[in-house]
Amino acid sequence: MLRVLVYDNQTSNLEEMTDPKQVLTAISDTQKTIWVDLTKPSQEEAKLLEEGFHFHAIAVESALKEGERPKFYSYGNYSFLLMEATAASNKGSVVKLSQFSAFISKNYLVTVHQKDVNFIEDTINTIKSEPELLNRGVGFLLYNLLDGLIANYFPILDKIDNKLKTIEERIFQRPNQQVLNEIFKLRQEINQMRKSVSNNLDVLSLMMRHDSMQSSEENRMYLMDLYDHLMHLLDMIDMYHDMVFTSMDAYLSSVSNNMNNIMKVLTAITTIMMPLTVITGIYGMNFDMPEFHWTYGYVWALTLMAVSVIAMTLFLRSRKWL
Amino acid sequence: MLRVLVYDNQTSNLEEMTDPKQVLTAISDTQKTIWVDLTKPSQEEAKLLEEGFHFHAIAVESALKEGERPKFYSYGNYSFLLMEATAASNKGSVVKLSQFSAFISKNYLVTVHQKDVNFIEDTINTIKSEPELLNRGVGFLLYNLLDGLIANYFPILDKIDNKLKTIEERIFQRPNQQVLNEIFKLRQEINQMRKSVSNNLDVLSLMMRHDSMQSSEENRMYLMDLYDHLMHLLDMIDMYHDMVFTSMDAYLSSVSNNMNNIMKVLTAITTIMMPLTVITGIYGMNFDMPEFHWTYGYVWALTLMAVSVIAMTLFLRSRKWL
Amino acid sequence: MLRVLVYDNQTSNLEEMTDPKQVLTAISDTQKTIWVDLTKPSQEEAKLLEEGFHFHAIAVESALKEGERPKFYSYGNYSFLLMEATAASNKGSVVKLSQFSAFISKNYLVTVHQKDVNFIEDTINTIKSEPELLNRGVGFLLYNLLDGLIANYFPILDKIDNKLKTIEERIFQRPNQQVLNEIFKLRQEINQMRKSVSNNLDVLSLMMRHDSMQSSEENRMYLMDLYDHLMHLLDMIDMYHDMVFTSMDAYLSSVSNNMNNIMKVLTAITTIMMPLTVITGIYGMNFDMPEFHWTYGYVWALTLMAVSVIAMTLFLRSRKWL
Amino acid sequence: MLRVLVYDNQTSNLEEMTDPKQVLTAISDTQKTIWVDLTKPSQEEAKLLEEGFHFHAIAVESALKEGERPKFYSYGNYSFLLMEATAASNKGSVVKLSQFSAFISKNYLVTVHQKDVNFIEDTINTIKSEPELLNRGVGFLLYNLLDGLIANYFPILDKIDNKLKTIEERIFQRPNQQVLNEIFKLRQEINQMRKSVSNNLDVLSLMMRHDSMQSSEENRMYLMDLYDHLMHLLDMIDMYHDMVFTSMDAYLSSVSNNMNNIMKVLTAITTIMMPLTVITGIYGMNFDMPEFHWTYGYVWALTLMAVSVIAMTLFLRSRKWL
Amino acid sequence: MLRVLVYDNQTSNLEEMTDPKQVLTAISDTQKTIWVDLTKPSQEEAKLLEEGFHFHAIAVESALKEGERPKFYSYGNYSFLLMEATAASNKGSVVKLSQFSAFISKNYLVTVHQKDVNFIEDTINTIKSEPELLNRGVGFLLYNLLDGLIANYFPILDKIDNKLKTIEERIFQRPNQQVLNEIFKLRQEINQMRKSVSNNLDVLSLMMRHDSMQSSEENRMYLMDLYDHLMHLLDMIDMYHDMVFTSMDAYLSSVSNNMNNIMKVLTAITTIMMPLTVITGIYGMNFDMPEFHWTYGYVWALTLMAVSVIAMTLFLRSRKWL
């Protein structure tokens, strides 16, 4: 789907276009700030990138393929930026990644993405209501989009936070193999997310170091702000990474704690019952024992057993095994 | 709350102001050294930053929001510094972080913070009693504030030290799941503190590399002193980090030691009692055994059992299991 | 085996040569783009490199030996590139490495390899069908070959993926020592592959930093594309590395889970049966007990035992050990 | 305690001074090489540093306080060096750290330390016997002092080596919780020492990079020699660090080995005795069994039990559990 | 032992010398390429270095002492190189390190070593048979020596490989404490070797960065070749390091596997025998049970026991514990 916003810096007029030819004419007018957005581009729209805008074949291919690594290339009069974006995930896994590409020129920006991304819609709406924002140029528009892209990571962190809390509760209530599998899955998702954020960060710092993007002092401020946001994300992800490892340690120690309890009970039972077995064994021997002739022989035997149980219980208490 | 100290370098006179308009007039007089402190700024006071002092919107936003990452931006004639500060924590968790922002200009310093921070009060009192300290300029004032900010971390290290000592004692007296949870919590707090100090350090070294802050040799000395303090903090935190891991290892080995003791007792009981069961079992068989006809048959059986107990005990001793 | 493709940039004519002498004459004609490929070079063909093309002895030796480390040397008017390539592995281990060498000059490219490599065949076929591709120079030819070399790594990742899935299934169905050995083997293969890719990456970035390779903007684009592909490979390998470690953790916890189940059963049996042994022991004593004279003495004893079994079962249920 | 050695480069005469005023006069004579040593400086002597020599307040404060981090500051015409030194430790912990400060000027050196350090005494004695060594300047004097400071670390490594050997022996003879605690303690001391050496190394490389210290080629050689010594120390500490971790692994596996032996014995006892219990149980039943009427019924039962014991023993042998 | 080879570049004549004085005369003739080798230098020969060749005292001391760290110093018109070499180890530990020093001047090379090193002998023999090799200068001679030094590491890797294979076999056949100790020892030796190779590498890259060594393009090629060899060594050592850790994991899991088998047998025995004990216990009670009066009472009891054994066996099979 092709959507084009054309802003005239002189008349402050915002126009929507649909005809590709009209767009190609508009971009040659440096008095205009133009944003071309391609959502799930059709083959025809895809062709426009290479043949209409004359972007480099490798960049166009990257923009259209899914699963590319974040990258920033600079080609003389335009730059190509590809970043990972988070996509709306219905359920199941927490993290789902999509990609967002932008061709950045002096007076126009072409964005390409295969999935509906909410920050695109948001920015379109913002611009429609306040067109004069485009007065601040393509750099400011890109800043707004990337700010949205980065902001989208935070709800995922919230989800991870929730999952961690659920996991922690279950570890202390009833640790089982299933909890562990969830910990493993979360660990992998956090790793995946770390990679994604860190790759985006690499690309952003590449972009910051690149001359053309630093043209205005204003632009530099915006890029540094984005950089800080991504660094903040990384700090938080590292914290969750730590917490997942703590969860695993807690799980393992909780399991071993249960095992220890079982061993204690086993010991207690054995320690208490074994002497009883020996006593009954003795009086089960077919000797003609004196005790058999006592009036209270049976009582004597039962008393012996009770004493043994009490003694053993006290012994276990003293060792804190009961 | 707005507090303003205006020091006249020529008359050595210290004046307190409350009217924002007066302040804005004062800062244009380069003969004056001015410190503006905003504690929990009201919306009106916050507006002053952007509209009165004309600080950059992004910097002002960072200064007013909580939970920002430490940063240092330089804007032509002023710099913006944001550092993490430790806040007074009543109880529960050891570490509690707040943030401290400063706008640094040639002849005035604007500090912003959302929480009451003791080092601000201390510096205000010092200056009120010795106004001529402001003669040494904004850099020296900032040095005093950051020195206080860093010094605030040390009491937290003392708390961590105390916690670690309590934990260590409990590990060897009665290791249980609760001790482990405290170790996990402490580990996370130390990690968090490490992040905080290391982020502050990054910002400080950014500031040191920045020209304007190094104007005087004197300033460079002060910044290097702060840098050394933060590095010292990091060294100590790393040491505590090590100690927490040692605690965890000690806990685990203490638990496994207990388990081994249980196994030893279990073995001992089984080893000692099993032969008794067999002996009583034999003489409980309904054969017409010769022993039943001996005069001391019963005594013989009991002796056999006593010998077995002694033999087994000696065997266990030789293996050091008793 | 010697194969030579000679392309005349002016006549757009592609010629195949077999006579080494003819080749040496052709390379001095800068209007021609020449590709010389040596598969498992015979001693005579090997001599050609040093004596015919006058390549440096050390470079030639590296190209002919197997087991060399990826490297890039620049010698005035030509460069030497050695990269690790994946070789077709029949079965058993997943990763099997071979090596690919290239001598890169202005108008000719000499490639040397000891194993049949499919991307060489593919590129030869492509060129035979579209000779004008050689119009874009030696750099583009090299790009195509290295692109093929890198693409060959991806099927190996698929194999690793399959193995990991099989391993994961077996871990939860029946974890045994054999699964663990496969995990160990896979871990080592992933490490080996990581090393290989990372070494290739080092060489590529060395090549990118080298002036002569960056002559045209076009070349730079191609090298950056290859770089991105290798970085993407590394990201994926790191992910599999993570997953193998997760598998190991899963295996260990699965084994310890089984062990815990065994302990629980052991406890349950002991807890349930021990009281029965004591009860039967008591009534097996040769005292003249009152119970023996009761009409329902035997029933009483059996009831006692049933009650004991029920009580113990409830106790175990309450502790969630059954 | 103040000790001053004044060497006249022209007359090769060595003079000891005690009067601070005399010293301050001497240092202005560039023909003299002067070494001022302050051991546990009194308040009056401490004042001399700031007021007599006019050293910077921050440097003087660092030199007088204990527990500072190694640092190197350069102030125009003099430099300040602070390094960690090992102090004589009577017993208990292996590592005990003190600090050594030096103010380095063109023609005089002021050293400050709170503890008696043997290398100071040694250097004083060397100079008294060979005063002409001071002819080689302040740099050579400093080299001698730092060489002694570094050499002092090696005896500590010997102590660590001895401790490790004792620990290793005890691990295989009788592993207990106490050995583990000693391992933990040693690990922490090695970490502490690593930190200390690595901080000193940082300071030394800072000093090497600083122009004034590299004035002569000779000085550079000496500093590089010190650097090599510290790097060698680090290599050795890393080796001991490795060995401590190996000791911990050895301890853990030794403990688990003991546990396994216990389990084996438990299994053996259970496996051998259980059938006996069953056999005696059977012949203890009150049925009128045919065996009771056999002449050798009792012998038969005993034979059965003997056979069972032998069979079980062979079974355990076959599994290598006995 | 002093050995001197003097090659005259003009007459291509190789001469052996023994008189130190003659040697010192020869080195001033720049038309000659001279190699002086000192094996286990006597005190007199050692003196020659400082007094005859006028090498720096620190460098000479390093060359004569054992146990120095690899280093490269440059002194105006000569350089000093010290590398670790592997010494022939008879048996016991795999790795045994010695050291090799070289003083490199324009037209002469002085090598010093305390142990007989085979690559020295080899190079002497090569030169004696092909003296014209010295025509290529001191750099080429040094390259040959260092190439031999590096090549000596590879047989050690073979030994490590063999040890690892033996260890792996023993882990799966009979894992015991002794295997683990060998793993620990091998781990330490690999670490030691890594350190040695990595230190040599540092020195080599220092030498490569140094101007004088790069004088000719040819020299640069040789140094890069040596660098590649050392990097290759490091890659292989890292691989063995990985494999040792895998061995340790395999050992631990093999031990825990054995433990699990023991637990399974213990469970099986308990599960099968316990009901038998209860049954015999019941019929051992002195009640007047109806079964005692049955004709096939005894058979009934034995049948009951057989059924119990079969039922339990099936139960264990279903849980895969038998």
Side-chain angles (χ1 to χ4, degrees), chain D residues 54-285:
Chain D
H54 299 292
F55 295 139
H56 195 286
I58 288 182
V60 170
E61 196 188 349
S62 296
L64 296 173
K65 243 196 310 185
E66 271 291 304
E68 288 286 298
R69 238 183 140 252
K71 59 189 76 173
F72 178 78
Y73 291 168
S74 162
Y75 303 82
N77 54 346
Y78 67 94
S79 304
F80 173 64
L81 172 80
L82 192 157
M83 275 201 178
E84 278 189 346
T86 56
S89 78
N90 351 27
K91 49 182 173 174
S93 72
V94 170
V95 187
K96 202 161 191 174
L97 293 171
S98 165
Q99 81 181 36
F100 168 80
S101 309
F103 296 86
I104 310 142
S105 185
K106 282 255 163 70
N107 66 325
Y108 62 91
L109 180 78
V110 181
T111 54
V112 185
H113 45 103
Q114 294 293 344
K115 298 242 169 84
D116 284 311
V117 225
N118 60 338
F119 60 83
I120 300 274
E121 298 309 315
D122 295 351
T123 312
I124 287 177
N125 293 336
T126 311
I127 285 170
K128 278 187 184 162
S129 60
E130 293 183 79
E132 58 282 5
L133 282 173
L134 283 183
N135 226 343
R136 301 168 79 167
V138 163
F140 185 72
L141 176 58
L142 184 66
Y143 163 71
N144 269 288
L145 289 168
L146 295 184
D147 200 39
L149 186 152
I150 293 166
N152 267 2
Y153 277 99
F154 286 94
I156 297 184
L157 287 188
D158 289 346
K159 278 193 199 169
I160 288 174
D161 199 64
N162 283 336
K163 272 220 172 176
L164 262 172
K165 286 212 181 93
T166 322
I167 283 170
E168 259 166 54
E169 273 169 32
R170 286 173 60 194
I171 283 172
F172 293 108
Q173 279 164 18
R174 182 150 197 184
N176 56 19
Q177 194 69 17
Q178 200 192 330
V179 186
L180 192 64
N181 288 345
E182 274 178 40
I183 293 175
F184 287 153
K185 207 179 147 202
L186 200 58
R187 188 169 79 177
Q188 246 165 37
E189 289 184 329
I190 288 174
N191 279 341
Q192 195 186 339
M193 194 160 156
R194 203 192 186 289
K195 201 91 192 177
S196 163
V197 171
S198 129
N199 283 347
N200 278 352
L201 198 65
D202 286 356
V203 161
L204 192 69
S205 62
L206 213 71
M207 197 162 123
M208 281 169 79
R209 258 177 289 132
H210 196 266
D211 302 328
S212 77
M213 302 308 295
Q214 297 236 16
S215 47
S216 75
E217 181 69 3
E218 200 63 23
N219 263 357
R220 198 173 64 86
M221 288 300 131
Y222 291 138
L223 288 178
M224 279 177 73
D225 194 48
L226 294 176
Y227 190 86
D228 271 353
H229 280 85
L230 277 175
M231 284 301 284
H232 188 50
L233 258 178
L234 265 195
D235 280 2
M236 288 178 75
I237 292 172
D238 283 347
M239 195 189 68
Y240 286 120
H241 194 254
D242 263 23
M243 283 166 77
V244 164
F245 271 89
T246 302
S247 290
M248 244 191 77
D249 286 349
Y251 170 83
L252 290 176
S253 91
S254 180
V255 162
S256 113
N257 200 39
N258 285 359
M259 180 99 167
N260 283 2
N261 274 338
I262 297 179
M263 286 312 291
K264 278 185 192 167
V265 172
L266 207 68
T267 315
I269 292 170
T270 314
T271 318
I272 290 174
M273 300 253 173
M274 268 290 200
L276 302 189
T277 320
V278 172
I279 292 169
T280 59
I282 288 172
Y283 292 115
M285 293 193 295

Side-chain angles (χ1 to χ4, degrees), chain C residues 281-297:
Chain C
I282 289 172
Y283 292 115
M285 293 194 293
N286 295 324
F287 291 102
D288 181 26
M289 303 181 199
E291 289 91 337
F292 294 156
H293 306 292
W294 296 358
T295 314
Y296 296 104

